[in-house]
Amino acid sequence: MFVVVAYDVSTETRAGRRRLRRVAQACKDYGQRVQKSVFECILREADWVKLRHRLMQETALTEDSLRFYFLDEIARTKIEHHGVKCPVDLEGPLIV
């Protein structure tokens, strides 16, 4: 499944800055950053459950916001990107 994760974490406190780092790391573990607080993730069902659980544990929902967008394969082919830092094709060949 293709999921876009967007978040807004309050960083007014030290705990908020720590939450922001943890939320970003959880997203990095499962996807690719495409904006500062937006990640694209190609996930199996089990990985989606783990990521969602981890994000729900890391955020303070009285202060922070999480959004999950589930896109089908047709919508995924219609993504346009302009500007720097072109995203990597996570399903394409990896050359090291």
Side-chain angles (χ1 to χ4, degrees):
M1 81 176 56
F2 185 63
V3 181
V4 175
V5 179
Y7 56 85
D8 186 16
V9 176
S10 174
T11 57
E12 294 177 5
T13 65
R14 183 180 199 131
R17 291 186 292 277
R18 186 173 63 241
R19 284 195 317 275
L20 176 63
R21 286 190 301 274
R22 289 180 179 175
V23 167
Q25 186 59 55
C27 291
K28 283 181 195 175
D29 288 348
Y30 289 91
Q32 174 179 217
R33 184 184 297 244
V34 293
Q35 296 285 321
K36 291 187 184 199
S37 297
V38 180
F39 283 77
E40 292 178 353
C41 306
I42 299 171
L43 303 165
R44 295 173 299 169
E45 189 70 33
D47 289 333
W48 160 241
V49 171
K50 290 176 189 175
L51 175 59
R52 184 182 183 282
H53 177 75
R54 187 169 163 190
L55 290 173
M56 297 300 288
Q57 294 295 315
E58 295 294 351
T59 54
L61 297 180
T62 57
E63 302 173 50
D64 307 332
S65 173
L66 281 172
R67 295 180 71 94
F68 304 112
Y69 299 91
F70 300 90
L71 301 178
D72 61 19
E73 202 55 40
I74 294 170
R76 190 170 161 217
T77 64
K78 294 181 180 183
I79 295 171
E80 282 190 37
H81 175 268
H82 304 278
V84 297
K85 296 185 181 179
C86 288
V88 175
D89 180 4
L90 296 176
E91 294 184 313
L94 177 64
I95 299 172
V96 181

